[in-house]
């Protein structure tokens, strides 16, 4: 097939992990006889430096016409002055809103090798297979923000509409149908009005339209404990934007390293935005030691969700899993004998080329 994929390397380790993703996409194209046009564009701090805009119009245009977008990471100390008017993160948030990618899928399936690095008892990690569905274009991230009383008071309004909750709930339910058919909806309905709206909409949509899906509502504070005490008891976890941001960082601990977790952000169309859940890691940027696997696994999600290439997606996931089995580990997963970002990427590409 022919597809155009826009690559947004961004900041920090973003360009390093993106270089490996580019090679992997090229390897997939060769191995499976596809024609991928890979088109690079600026975002985040790199875009601020070049154009003063964290999401320049040229980038929006390239992303809108692409079949899918792959992002490295944005942000870094250079641009994090709290008084700065423009911030790298604004570029990413505006891109999510512009592309209308309201459902952020974050699978967490600990690999046995990486699980050794998790601080939890190994028996707690047995059978853990989670899919977070985080609402991505609403809530406090996108509500009105500001300062009052000479800057002495600040506010971020959290706002949700019925239709915003309906569409992401339907998406979570469709995904749950392909899994263990269970949704845990996480909220703070004992305090927040938005959570009470979520609770009633989730209950109605699931009971009327998806009677085959079992569901429960869990308060977010309790959920942070359940995720560590009994992670294997959950399947699909559906939640609003800010809770989803926090819970998925917590859940990454189950997988042993943030460097292993991919994400897919999708809307109503086929196109989507794919990115590792980790950030730009300025502390290790430029050293060639970042773990590229989260980005390579994001390539797999891109192949699956935006291009409909299931066999190719599985081949990429298998190659990464085999790399972990074979002990091809970057420094986050190996104190001694760690491989470089490039060596890890190379190993996965070679395995994919040789795959039957
Ligand atoms: C994430 C990140 C972003 C978010 C930041 C970089 C804006 O933490 O994708 O989880 O908060 O959504
Ligand atoms: Mg986050």
């Amino acid at each position: 097939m022919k597809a155009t994929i826009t690559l947004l390397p961004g900041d920090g380790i973003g360009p390093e992990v993106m270089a490996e993703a580019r090679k992997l996409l090229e390897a997939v194209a060769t191995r499976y006889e596809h024609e991928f046009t890979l088109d690079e564009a600026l975002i985040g701090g790199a875009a601020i430096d070049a154009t003063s805009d964290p999401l320049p119009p040229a980038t929006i245009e390239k992303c809108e016409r692409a079949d899918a977008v792959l992002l490295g990471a944005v942000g870094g100390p250079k641009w994090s002055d709290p008084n700065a008017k423009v911030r790298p993160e604004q570029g990413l948030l505006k891109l999510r809103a512009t592309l209308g990618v309201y459902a952020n899928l974050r699978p967490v399936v600990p690999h046995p090798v990486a699980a050794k690095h998790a601080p939890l008892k190994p028996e707690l990690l047995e059978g853990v297979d989670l899919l977070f569905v985080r609402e991505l274009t609403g809530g406090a991230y996108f509500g009105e923000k500001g300062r009052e009383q000479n800057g002495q008071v600040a506010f971020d309004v959290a706002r949700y509409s019925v239709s915003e909750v309906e569409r992401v709930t339907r998406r979570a339910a469709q995904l749950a149908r392909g899994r263990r058919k269970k949704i845990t909806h996480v909220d703070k309905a004992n305090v927040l009005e938005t959570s009470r709206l979520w609770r009633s909409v989730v209950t109605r949509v699931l009971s009327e339209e998806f009677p085959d899906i079992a569901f429960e509502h869990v308060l977010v504070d309790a959920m942070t404990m359940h995720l560590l005490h009994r992670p294997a008891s959950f399947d699909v976890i559906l939640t609003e934007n800010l809770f989803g941001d926090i819970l998925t960082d917590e859940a990454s601990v189950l997988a042993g390293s943030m460097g292993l977790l991919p994400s897919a952000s999708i809307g109503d169309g086929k196109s989507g935005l794919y990115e590792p859940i980790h950030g730009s890691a300025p502390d290790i940027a430029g050293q060639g030691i970042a773990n590229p696997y989260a980005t390579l696994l994001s390539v797999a999600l891109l192949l699956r969700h935006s291009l409909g290439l299931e066999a190719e997606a599985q081949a990429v996931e298998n190659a990464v899993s085999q790399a972990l089995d074979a002990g091809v580990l970057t420094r986050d997963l190996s104190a001694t004998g760690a491989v470089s970002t490039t060596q890890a990427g190379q190993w996965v590409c070679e395995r994919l080329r040789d795959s039957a």
Side-chain angles (χ1 to χ4, degrees):
M1 76 177 295
K2 280 191 186 180
T4 302
I5 301 160
T6 295
L7 307 180
L8 307 174
D11 309 318
I13 60 169
E16 296 167 50
V17 293
M18 186 61 79
E20 302 314 312
R22 174 186 275 276
K23 288 183 228 161
L24 179 62
L25 281 163
E26 284 162 358
V28 170
T30 309
R31 165 76 182 72
Y32 293 89
E33 297 179 14
H34 299 305
E35 211 178 294
F36 294 158
T37 306
L38 307 177
D39 198 5
E40 251 181 54
L42 289 168
I43 193 168
I48 294 177
D49 288 349
T51 71
S52 315
D53 181 347
L55 188 68
T59 299
I60 299 182
E61 206 237 313
K62 283 183 179 179
C63 291
E64 280 181 331
R65 66 158 196 255
D67 296 295
V69 180
L70 184 69
L71 176 114
V74 295
K78 184 176 175 192
W79 310 278
S80 49
D81 173 0
N83 297 315
K85 281 267 171 307
V86 284
R87 309 175 61 85
E89 291 78 7
Q90 290 164 344
L92 176 55
L93 297 181
K94 186 171 170 196
L95 181 62
R96 290 172 177 171
T98 306
L99 296 177
V101 288
Y102 56 81
N104 179 225
L105 282 33
R106 296 186 166 183
V108 179
V109 190
H111 184 282
V113 169
K116 282 197 204 129
H117 284 257
L120 269 71
K121 297 191 191 96
E123 60 267 29
L124 281 179
L125 295 171
E126 260 164 50
V128 171
D129 179 356
L130 305 172
L131 177 63
F132 283 85
V133 180
R134 166 190 175 193
E135 200 291 329
L136 201 61
T137 53
Y141 274 66
F142 289 92
E144 197 195 339
K145 296 174 182 298
R147 291 282 177 116
E148 284 169 349
Q149 297 174 29
N150 258 337
Q152 297 306 297
V153 174
F155 58 88
D156 298 274
V157 176
R159 179 187 291 274
Y160 269 110
S161 69
V162 168
S163 61
E164 283 175 308
V165 181
E166 282 173 345
R167 65 187 183 178
V168 73
T169 301
R170 289 192 181 109
R171 194 51 91 113
Q174 284 150 5
L175 290 160
R177 276 191 171 151
R179 299 174 48 96
R180 303 192 304 281
K181 296 195 171 61
K182 185 181 165 201
I183 294 182
T184 300
H185 164 240
V186 180
D187 66 16
K188 186 71 187 173
N190 52 348
V191 176
L192 300 178
E193 197 55 36
T194 43
S195 285
R196 291 190 276 270
L197 179 102
W198 267 81
R199 214 172 250 228
S200 65
V201 174
V202 167
T203 302
R204 171 174 54 76
V205 169
L206 294 181
S207 43
E208 285 176 7
E209 300 172 31
F210 300 89
D212 51 323
I213 306 288
F215 66 93
E216 61 181 343
H217 304 284
V218 177
L219 295 173
V220 64
D221 46 355
M223 188 65 183
T224 61
M225 292 192 299
H226 299 329
L227 264 180
L228 301 180
H229 280 305
R230 50 177 181 89
S233 66
F234 302 103
D235 178 13
V236 173
I237 299 168
L238 168 64
T239 191
E240 65 100 62
N241 203 346
L242 182 57
F243 297 159
D245 178 48
I246 298 166
L247 289 174
T248 52
D249 266 30
E250 185 192 10
S252 77
V253 175
L254 304 173
S257 168
M258 272 209 127
L260 291 173
L261 295 188
S263 84
S265 303
I266 53 182
D268 287 327
K270 279 237 133 229
S271 185
L273 171 64
Y274 299 83
E275 46 176 315
I277 84 154
H278 63 68
S280 60
D283 52 322
I284 60 160
Q287 299 178 35
I289 59 171
N291 186 339
Y293 294 153
T295 311
L296 303 185
L297 292 168
S298 300
V299 166
L301 296 180
L302 180 157
L303 295 167
R304 173 174 296 128
H305 291 285
S306 283
L307 307 187
L309 300 174
E310 180 59 32
E312 288 82 340
Q314 278 181 26
V316 168
E317 286 166 350
N318 287 340
V320 172
S321 174
Q322 285 165 12
L324 291 167
D325 290 338
V328 183
L329 307 173
T330 42
R331 217 190 51 179
D332 50 319
L333 292 172
S334 167
T336 53
V339 301
S340 68
T341 308
T342 315
Q343 286 169 326
Q346 185 76 25
W347 200 98
V348 171
C349 283
E350 275 163 24
R351 182 48 57 108
L352 183 107
R353 279 194 206 102
D354 297 343
S355 62

